């Protein structure tokens, strides 16, 4: 059987790293990419794993990696747009540059990669694009405006793309985890620490510090391998589902969008009063 190939962004840690390992275990050939290639050097020692530098905000990195993969493999069966981070903070406190940066990585990054791989997938009449969204891409919450906004955008663009490329034999999938034990929470803490506080939203900062929303020690937090398994399953399926909520908080959380706005706002106000 011909070896299938996957390109994974943000492979240095967490879900990206687990996804690379999941594909390799299923005997795919994987291009494991990271901003700093040293972070994926150990993966490169595994059979069928090629490592490369790829910052999703750099057009030339994207072009070079995709061109190299097409040249060396002649095919890109799956693109996993995994790289991302969370910029949390009250909307008034988060400066435009930080929102821009959030979209640059979480939204424009996947868009860049998608545009680069699509001509090759169309030529072959086959391929799967897996976009890492989040339960935060289905329901927004206080302090999550920038991050949820970026993941809502990923969801919307994925829905449009899925319908656009179906006729070319290309599948588009969003994977929507709840809390996952990765470096995500530490990076989110660092990003919040960099926000200049207005002083009007101290209850948010206290609640955020007390119980990091995506902390890796919560009872419902799942290991990155659980998410990776769904990514690999979606990439391997002949007819993958459009959405893969992963873990109980995600499966319950995505239902929150059916709750009337007024009720949801009241629930957020209650949580604020109790914290
Ligand atoms: N953990 C959660 O609770 C959770 C829940 C739902 C969805 N997600 C989503 O899952 C994805 C993976 O996150 P994770 O949980 O595995 O967190 P993670 O361990 O922090 O991994 C994030 C990855 O993204 C990479 N990255 C960040 N900016 C990048 C850029 N400009 N170019 C290339 N790579 C970049 C990081 O690389 P560096 O090492 O170079 O920083 C790292 O490899 C993200 O899209 C996140 O939004 C996470």
């Amino acid at each position: 059987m011909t070896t299938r190939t996957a390109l994974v962004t943000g492979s240095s840690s967490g879900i990206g790293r687990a996804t690379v390992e999941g594909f390799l275990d299923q005997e795919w050939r994987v291009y494991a990419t990271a901003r700093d290639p040293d972070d994926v050097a150990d993966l490169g020692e595994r059979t069928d794993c090629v490592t490369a530098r790829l910052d999703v905000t750099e057009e030339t990195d994207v072009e070079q990696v995709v061109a190299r993969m097409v040249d060396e493999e002649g095919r890109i069966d799956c693109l996993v747009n995994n790289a991302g981070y969370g910029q949390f903070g009250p909307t008034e406190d988060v400066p435009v540059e930080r929102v821009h940066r959030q979209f640059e990585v979480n939204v424009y990054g996947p868009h860049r990669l998608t545009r680069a791989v699509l001509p090759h997938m169309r030529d072959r009449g086959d391929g799967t694009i897996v976009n890492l969204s989040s339960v935060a891409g289905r329901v927004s919450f206080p302090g999550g405006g920038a991050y949820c906004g970026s993941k809502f955008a990923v969801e919307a663009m994925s829905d449009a793309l899925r319908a656009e490329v179906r006729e070319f034999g290309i599948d588009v999938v969003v994977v929507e985890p709840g809390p996952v034990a990765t470096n995500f929470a530490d990076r989110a803490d660092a990003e919040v620490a960099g926000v200049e506080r207005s002083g009007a939203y101290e209850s948010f900062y206290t609640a955020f510090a007390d119980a990091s929303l995506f902390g890796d020690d919560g009872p419902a937090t799942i290991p990155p391998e659980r998410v990776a398994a769904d990514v690999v399953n979606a990439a391997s399926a002949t007819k993958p589902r459009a959405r893969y909520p992963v873990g109980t908080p995600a499966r319950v959380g995505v239902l929150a969008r059916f709750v009337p706005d007024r009720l949801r706002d009241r629930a957020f106000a209650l949580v604020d009063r109790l914290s």
Side-chain angles (χ1 to χ4, degrees), residues 20-266:
V20 170
E21 290 172 342
F23 275 123
L24 292 172
D25 290 345
Q26 297 295 316
E27 297 180 357
W28 285 58
R29 189 161 167 77
V30 186
Y31 279 58
T33 67
R35 287 195 286 188
D36 182 349
D38 287 348
D39 293 342
V40 284
D42 59 322
L43 288 170
E45 288 164 14
R46 288 193 56 175
T47 309
D48 273 332
C49 189
V50 178
T51 61
R53 183 198 131 81
L54 197 164
D55 183 326
V56 300
T57 68
E58 297 290 339
E59 194 82 41
T60 46
D61 283 5
V62 173
E63 283 166 8
Q64 277 171 10
V65 171
V66 170
R68 178 180 165 194
M69 199 169 166
V70 170
D71 187 42
E72 292 175 349
E73 312 298 334
R75 56 193 289 154
I76 302 175
D77 293 282
C78 181
L79 163 67
V80 183
N81 279 314
N82 162 75
Y85 72 96
Q87 173 64 69
F88 295 96
T91 304
E92 183 181 345
D93 288 3
V94 181
V96 170
E97 307 83 68
R98 281 181 177 268
V99 179
H100 188 94
R101 177 79 191 156
Q102 177 75 109
F103 276 66
E104 187 64 67
V105 175
N106 290 12
V107 182
Y108 310 148
H111 183 227
R112 256 181 218 108
L113 266 301
T114 298
R115 294 192 68 236
V117 301
L118 272 178
H120 310 287
M121 288 185 173
R122 278 195 293 100
D123 277 353
R124 288 190 53 243
D126 196 16
T128 306
I129 296 175
V130 180
N131 289 331
L132 252 298
S133 177
S134 166
V135 62
R138 302 290 269 168
V139 57
S140 188
F141 45 81
Y147 181 64
C148 297
S150 74
K151 293 300 186 184
F152 269 61
V154 166
E155 296 265 345
M157 292 174 79
S158 302
D159 283 344
L161 182 67
R162 190 168 46 257
E164 290 163 4
V165 297
R166 178 174 301 150
E167 66 176 292
F168 306 116
I170 300 165
D171 297 309
V172 179
V173 167
V174 284
V175 173
E176 303 163 322
V180 188
T182 66
N183 293 342
F184 184 88
D186 286 348
R187 171 98 193 249
D189 286 346
E191 296 295 336
V192 166
V195 166
E196 200 175 319
R197 302 183 186 190
S198 59
Y201 306 98
E202 289 311 302
S203 61
F204 161 79
Y205 294 104
T206 307
F208 189 82
D210 283 352
S212 183
L213 204 58
F214 291 88
D216 57 12
D217 48 5
T221 300
I222 58 171
E225 290 74 19
R226 276 273 304 280
V227 186
D230 273 359
V231 173
V232 175
N233 282 340
S236 309
T238 317
K239 286 188 181 158
R241 303 200 306 267
R243 291 191 157 71
Y244 288 74
V246 198
T248 307
R251 283 196 298 275
V252 174
V254 296
L255 299 176
R257 71 186 191 285
F258 299 118
V259 175
D261 293 335
R262 202 171 290 174
L263 264 183
R264 206 169 47 231
D265 289 349
R266 264 196 227 142

